[in-house]
């Protein structure tokens, strides 16, 4: 991925990791369009930072199609999609009432990712060089017991990304996966999980992307989660993270 000369669309980039990454890519020289549900917030970010914006709800198929049409009409040179949108909710699996949160999480995190790729991939395949970057999580590899469906959807995104990469082998579309650790953002209303500072995280992400040579963008803080099965530490980390919830 060329961070200095790409045209990038990042739905779910009105705050947190998405916005921080958008601003770093813009500063590096890329043209960046961000997407989100709240038009007033998009307008404010456009005015403050000069970012392109489009309204999108990734839980809504029609909204994704409309946003894709709008982005590609305005930016026919688009060559990078970052599927940043996601929600994370606590669930008590002993309470059947959790199902609404579970379904909304699946619709946004996993189905939304698939629909975004479907909407943009035909165009990206026409470009001489292009990138799809999905966003999973360290929790794809060791789940946080308080957020079971979130963790499961991120495991699904990881698996889907691997299959996508294999299917696109030999094309000009590079497939990357960004798997963040806990990062200090407002993903769950600003709850403190002891995550790494946002600026430090994005610094490391940009360094990894710019260096190239890897299909998974893994900062040091996420390495223990990513390789827990290989290292035989999965159960230990699972129990440790569960202990922090109480």
């Amino acid at each position: 991925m060329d961070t200095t000369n790409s045209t990038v669309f990042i739905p779910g980039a009105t705050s947190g990791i998405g916005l921080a990454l958008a601003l770093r890519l813009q500063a590096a020289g890329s043209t960046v369009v961000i997407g989100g549900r709240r038009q007033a917030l998009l307008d404010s970010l456009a005015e403050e930072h000069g970012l392109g914006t489009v309204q999108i709800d990734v839980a809504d198929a029609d909204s994704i199609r409309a946003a894709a049409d709008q982005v590609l009409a305005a930016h026919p040179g688009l060559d990078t999609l970052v599927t940043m949108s996601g929600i994370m909710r606590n669930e008590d699996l002993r309470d059947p009432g959790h199902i609404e949160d579970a379904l909304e999480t699946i619709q946004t995190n996993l189905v939304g990712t698939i629909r975004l790729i479907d909407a943009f991939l035909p165009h990206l395949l026409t470009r001489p060089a292009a990138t799809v970057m999905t966003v999973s999580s360290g929790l794809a590899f060791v789940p946080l017991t308080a957020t079971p469906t979130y963790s499961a959807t991120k495991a699904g995104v990881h698996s889907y990304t691997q299959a996508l990469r294999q299917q696109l082998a030999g094309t000009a579309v590079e497939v990357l996966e960004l798997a963040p650790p806990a990062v200090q953002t407002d993903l769950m209303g600003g709850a403190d999980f002891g995550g790494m500072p946002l600026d430090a995280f994005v610094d490391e992400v940009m360094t990894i992307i710019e260096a190239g040579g890897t299909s998974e963008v893994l900062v040091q803080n996420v390495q223990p989660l990513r390789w827990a099965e290989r290292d035989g530490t999965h159960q230990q980390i699972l129990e440790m993270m569960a202990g922090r919830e109480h």
Side-chain angles (χ1 to χ4, degrees):
M1 176 180 173
D2 182 359
T3 61
T4 67
N5 192 35
S6 293
T7 302
V8 186
F9 178 47
I10 313 179
T14 54
S15 63
I17 292 173
L19 179 58
L21 182 60
L23 294 176
R24 294 299 179 86
L25 289 169
Q26 182 189 55
S30 289
T31 299
V32 182
V33 181
I34 63 171
R37 290 178 298 173
R38 293 174 288 176
Q39 188 61 54
L41 179 56
L42 291 169
D43 292 344
S44 175
L45 291 169
E47 182 176 356
E48 182 177 359
H49 300 293
L51 295 161
T53 65
V54 63
Q55 192 171 31
I56 183 171
D57 179 356
V58 302
D60 184 300
D62 291 338
S63 178
I64 290 175
R65 284 191 291 268
D69 289 345
Q70 184 178 341
V71 170
L72 294 176
H75 301 277
L78 183 90
D79 54 18
T80 303
L81 169 69
V82 182
T83 63
M84 185 65 67
S85 297
I87 59 174
M88 184 178 189
R89 294 177 181 171
N90 288 321
E91 297 171 78
D92 182 349
L93 301 185
R94 298 162 296 187
D95 177 2
H98 85 92
I99 191 64
E100 293 303 322
D101 283 329
L103 292 174
E104 289 181 20
T105 302
I106 293 166
Q107 189 72 12
T108 297
N109 296 4
L110 182 56
V111 178
T113 294
I114 294 169
R115 282 177 168 155
L116 282 166
I117 293 169
D118 284 352
F120 286 92
L121 187 56
H123 168 81
L124 295 175
L125 285 166
T126 69
R127 304 298 301 159
T131 301
V132 173
M133 180 188 289
T134 61
V135 181
S136 63
S137 169
L139 301 182
F141 309 102
V142 182
L144 184 65
T145 56
T147 59
T149 304
Y150 175 86
S151 302
T153 60
K154 293 303 185 177
V157 169
H158 170 68
S159 179
Y160 197 85
T161 303
Q162 289 184 313
L164 177 68
R165 185 180 299 117
Q166 191 62 33
Q167 288 199 15
L168 296 183
T171 74
V173 180
E174 174 186 30
V175 179
L176 301 177
E177 176 184 350
L178 172 61
V183 179
Q184 295 173 12
T185 70
D186 62 355
L187 181 60
M188 294 190 73
D192 182 9
F193 296 104
M196 68 185 298
L198 179 58
D199 284 344
F201 170 73
V202 180
D203 284 344
E204 197 171 342
V205 166
M206 290 294 291
T207 298
I208 294 168
I209 294 173
E210 288 164 353
T214 183
S215 59
E216 295 183 2
V217 181
L218 305 171
V219 302
Q220 284 300 312
N221 278 23
V222 84
Q223 298 281 347
L225 296 172
R226 175 63 180 93
W227 306 116
E229 289 284 1
R230 180 196 67 185
D231 297 341
T233 57
H234 186 278
Q235 186 64 29
Q236 177 185 353
I237 295 173
L238 178 66
E239 292 173 358
M240 180 185 68
M241 293 196 303
R244 288 179 180 173
E245 299 162 21
H246 302 289

